[in-house]
Structures are given as structure tokens and as C-alpha cells.
């Protein structure tokens, strides 16, 4: 019997209905981009309030697409970690309320493991064990994925996530929010060697990343140090494109290099990649190139499952198979510490 999955970790309110064999029966995502655009970043309080308004209509929409009633649902899965506290709470309270009202068991989903599971959903073969790279607005992490729900953290960013760096570069260049897709689009017409931006921690003997120095280097290239009003900077369209291309090249270079090293060190045959930044065309291309060169297999999440969605909550089916249900005591885990 199908499950209902709920996702509200950041600024996307999403629900999906998924059959026990993984077929998507209903899928609804309400994005909040327009609400956060003027702040050029996600405002946690605004996000939580918007989730509250949208969560029930989104669940209704997924259920009616599936043409099912609550009697047809076997379990309710919800992303309980990591994410913004207020956002997580809305999804969790909705899931618990439905679990009580419909008398269904609850399943806790780790949002980052779910991002990686999107790769499994697009494959007809078992993709585990493997190395997993999560690249999103809030996280940049490498894992040894023994199976879909048994993941060991290898390393991750010590400061900003790569998606955050894309968004801030987009903001500095007045490209709107989220900046990632716009930066990536402009980069296509830029000179990737125009600026020699830093590749922080590329040669470090660990699996950590750092993107704040790269972000600052882009800032200095635009305005120099000190307080500056980015809206007053005059910069040609070609220089903007060159900045985007050089920034994207530096960020992708480190991601590809360290992921490939993890695959080699752990003697894995496959790398899987998920999260919003996995939609980046240049990253996808460079990863494919490196996989061919080094001889490992590569599974990148399909484009429609890179950014936040509830379909990837199908990972809950793996937990149900192992009888791993959560109690009604389940609480949110924002997971602000590293190593999550
Ligand atoms: O996974 P996601 O939807 O949310 C989090 O869990 O954080 O990722 C959102 C991030 C944003 O930073 C956005 O700018 C970035 O993914 N992103 C991209 C692209 N599409 C989305 N970054 C670079 N290139 C893209 N094409
Ligand atoms: Zn995400």
C-alpha cells in the first residue's frame, strides 16, 4: 500500500504519495522563492509561516492526484532532519497530526540521505554501496553509503555550503534568488580562466570543503574590501559572465576532485550525487568526465529530483522494510553541527 511523504526542511513545502514499489502516484511542491527574493536568501520566520499556509493544500493536492483516501495509506513519512527549525516543525506537526487522526505509523526521513536516494529512484539497479556527495543550499558533504540508510560521514564544509556560495555570488551580481541557476546560466558565456579564484582545501588530506574564501574572493574581485553597495557597481555583462564562469569552475573543481578521491580511497565503484547544486550542468559534465577518466560509475539525481521535493522521501520504504518506525515522541533535529 502507498505511503504519504512530507518535506518542509527549508523553503519548499512538498508532499508525495508513493506506491510500495516506488511509483510516484501524487507529487506536489510549493516553492517560496518569490517570498525570499527581496531578502536574497531564505528568511527562517517567513519560511515557517509560509509552510504553515501551504502544508495542508500541498498534502491535499498529492492525495487527490493519487486519487486515494487516507484509508489507502500505510504510513506517513516526514523529513525530521536537518533543516531550519521552524520549517521542520511545521512538517513534523502535520505528519504527527495525520498519523494520530488516520491511525498510521510515522517514519522519520533524513533529508540528506533522501537527496542521495533520488539517484536510486532513477536507477533500475541497486546503487549501494557507494560514495555519496550532497551539494545543496545548506550542505556540502561526502558519505560512505553502505546502504540507503546506513551512511558514514566522511567530511563536509567547514563554513558555507556550495549552494550558499552560488546564491551569494548571484546576490552580489544582482542576479536574483536563488542565484545558483542564474550564475550557472551566465557562466556558459564566460571565460573560465578570467579570474584565478582559490580552490580551498583541494589538496588537504581529508574530505572537508570550504567555500567562504571563494565567496570573499569573488566579492573582492567585484568591489574590493570594505563596505560597498553592490547595486552601485558598474560592471560589464562580459565581466559578470567571466566572474560566474571562474567562480563555478573553482567550486566544481574542488567538488569533483575530492569526490573522486573519496571513491578511490574507499575503493568504491560508484559515486552518487544529489541536492540542488547537482542540477548544475557544468558540475554534471565535469563529474562525468572524471568518472570516465578514473573508471568509476556515476549516478547523479535526475534534474527534477535535485532541488527539494517529497518524492525522494521514498527512502522511507527502505526503513519500512526494516521495520524502522518512529514514535509520536519524534522531535526535529535541525542538525547545525558538522558531521551530520
Ligand atoms: O537541495 P536544495 O533545493 O535545498 C537545500 O536543501 O538547501 O538546494 C538549493 C540550492 C540553492 O543554493 C540553489 O541556488 C542551488 O541549489 N541550485 C543550483 C542550481 N540549481 C539549484 N546551483 C548551481 N547551479 C544550478 N543549476
Ligand atoms: Zn535539500
Amino acid at each position: 500500500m502507498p505511503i504519504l511523504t512530507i518535506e518542509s526542511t527549508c523553503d519548499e513545502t512538498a508532499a508525495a504519495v508513493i506506491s510500495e514499489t516506488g511509483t510516484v502516484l501524487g507529487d506536489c511542491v510549493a516553492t517560496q522563492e518569490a517570498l525570499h527574493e527581496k531578502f536574497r536568501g531564505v528568511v527562517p520566520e517567513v519560511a515557517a509561516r509560509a509552510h504553515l499556509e501551504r502544508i495542508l493544500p500541498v498534502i491535499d493536492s498529492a492525495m487527490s492526484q493519487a486519487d486515494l483516501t487516507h484509508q489507502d495509506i500505510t504510513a506517513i513519512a516526514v523529513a525530521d532532519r536537518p533543516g531550519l527549525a521552524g520549517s521542520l516543525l511545521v512538517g513534523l506537526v502535520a505528519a504527527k497530526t495525520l498519523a494520530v487522526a488516520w491511525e498510521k505509523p510515522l517514519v522519520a526521513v533524513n533529508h540528506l540521505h533522501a537527496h542521495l536516494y533520488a539517484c536510486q529512484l532513477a536507477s533500475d539497479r541497486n546503487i549501494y554501496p557507494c560514495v555519496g556527495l550532497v551539494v545543496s543550499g545548506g550542505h556540502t558533504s561526502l558519505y560512505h553509503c553502505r546502504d540507503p540508510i546506513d551512511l558514514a560521514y566522511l567530511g563536509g564544509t567547514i563554513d558555507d555550503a556550495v549552494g550558499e556560495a552560488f546564491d551569494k555570488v548571484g546576490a552580489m551580481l544582482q542576479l536574483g534568488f536563488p542565484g545558483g541557476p542564474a550564475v550557472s546560466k551566465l557562466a556558459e558565456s564566460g571565460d573560465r580562466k578570467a579570474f584565478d579564484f582559490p580552490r580551498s582545501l583541494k589538496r588537504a588530506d581529508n574530505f572537508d570543503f570550504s567555500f567562504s574564501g571563494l565567496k570573499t574572493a569573488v566579492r573582492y574581485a567585484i568591489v574590493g574590501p570594505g563596505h560597498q553597495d553592490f547595486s552601485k557597481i558598474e560592471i560589464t555583462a562580459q565581466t559578470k559572465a567571466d566572474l560566474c564562469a571562474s567562480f563555478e569552475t573553482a567550486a566544481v573543481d574542488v567538488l569533483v576532485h575530492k569526490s573522486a578521491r573519496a571513491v578511490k580511497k574507499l575503493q568504491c565503484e560508484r559515486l552518487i550525487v544529489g541536492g540542488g547544486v547537482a542540477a548544475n550542468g557544468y558540475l554534471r559534465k565535469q563529474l562525468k568526465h572524471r568518472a570516465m577518466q578514473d573508471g568509476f560509475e556515476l549516478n547523479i539525481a535526475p534534474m527534477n529530483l535535485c532541488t527539494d521535493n517529497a518524492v525522494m522521501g521514498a527512502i522511507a520504504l527502505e526503513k519500512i522494510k526494516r521495520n524502522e518506525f518512529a514514535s509520536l515522541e519524534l522531535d526535529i533535529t535541525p542538525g547545525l553541527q558538522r558531521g551530520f
Side-chain angles (χ1 to χ4, degrees):
M1 281 214 320
I3 60 168
L4 170 69
T5 62
I6 297 173
E7 151 67 42
S8 69
T9 55
C10 187
D11 62 339
E12 246 82 49
T13 321
V17 179
I18 297 158
S19 81
E20 62 191 273
T21 54
T23 307
V24 180
L25 306 174
D27 172 20
C28 181
V29 182
T31 167
Q32 303 179 8
E33 278 170 15
L35 293 179
H36 302 288
E37 170 134 39
K38 64 172 177 276
F39 305 105
R40 299 200 202 130
V42 177
V43 182
E45 283 306 317
V46 174
R49 279 171 193 274
H51 281 306
L52 206 53
E53 286 166 7
R54 290 151 200 230
I55 193 93
L56 291 179
V58 161
I59 292 170
D60 272 347
S61 164
M63 290 291 286
S64 51
Q65 283 173 42
D67 199 16
L68 296 176
T69 70
H70 71 268
Q71 274 121 346
D72 304 313
I73 297 291
T74 32
I76 296 164
V78 61
D80 70 326
R81 68 190 63 199
L84 300 172
S87 295
L88 285 165
L89 263 179
V90 177
L92 183 65
V93 170
K96 280 189 186 180
T97 308
L98 292 180
V100 172
W102 296 354
E103 297 179 17
K104 307 290 173 187
L106 202 59
V107 185
V109 164
N110 179 314
H111 175 76
L112 301 179
H113 300 181
H115 266 309
L116 292 173
Y117 194 72
C119 301
Q120 179 63 77
L121 290 171
S123 174
D124 48 15
R125 294 187 292 152
N126 171 36
I127 62 167
Y128 298 89
C130 56
V131 167
L133 170 70
V134 176
V135 276
S136 72
H139 295 86
T140 309
S141 312
L142 276 165
Y143 299 91
H144 182 205
C145 313
R146 299 188 194 99
D147 69 38
I149 55 175
D150 181 10
L151 284 79
Y153 179 83
L154 299 173
T157 185
I158 58 168
D159 41 55
D160 296 326
V162 65
E164 151 84 12
F166 266 95
D167 292 340
K168 287 296 178 290
V169 168
M172 288 185 240
L173 295 173
Q174 317 278 312
L175 299 178
F177 174 81
V183 168
S184 155
K185 182 92 201 72
L186 257 190
E188 286 168 16
S189 56
D191 175 357
R192 297 195 175 272
K193 294 200 177 116
F195 295 88
D196 185 18
F197 288 136
R199 270 82 166 149
S200 306
L201 299 185
K202 182 176 171 184
R203 305 276 163 216
D205 190 19
N206 57 36
F207 297 115
D208 288 338
F209 299 94
S210 164
F211 293 102
S212 72
L214 172 58
K215 206 173 75 176
T216 308
V218 175
R219 183 195 160 96
Y220 284 4
I222 302 172
V223 294
H227 257 301
Q228 302 284 348
D229 183 349
F230 286 97
S231 64
K232 301 228 165 71
I233 303 296
E234 282 182 23
I235 178 167
T236 66
Q238 189 55 51
T239 306
K240 269 193 184 186
D242 292 348
L243 284 162
C244 289
S246 302
F247 158 77
E248 185 180 64
T249 306
V252 165
D253 184 20
V254 184
L255 292 171
V256 172
H257 180 80
K258 294 206 106 162
S259 306
R261 237 187 44 206
V263 172
K264 196 167 174 192
K265 178 142 188 208
L266 280 110
Q267 299 180 325
C268 280
E269 285 171 6
R270 178 181 294 107
L271 174 69
I272 67 173
V273 187
V277 184
N280 182 275
Y282 184 68
L283 173 64
R284 294 174 88 94
K285 191 170 137 206
Q286 293 304 109
L287 282 168
K288 275 180 203 148
H289 185 252
R290 185 63 181 255
M292 291 251 291
Q293 207 175 48
D294 288 12
F296 59 81
E297 286 181 40
L298 176 69
N299 291 69
I300 310 178
M303 291 297 275
N304 63 320
L305 297 183
C306 285
T307 47
D308 290 347
N309 63 85
V311 170
M312 63 193 191
I315 193 173
L317 294 167
E318 303 284 347
K319 289 191 136 185
I320 293 172
K321 270 189 227 157
R322 293 164 174 79
N323 248 321
E324 280 190 34
F325 293 97
S327 83
L328 285 174
E329 304 296 307
L330 181 68
D331 201 355
I332 57 159
T333 306
L336 299 175
Q337 70 278 28
R338 245 164 61 73
F340 204 80

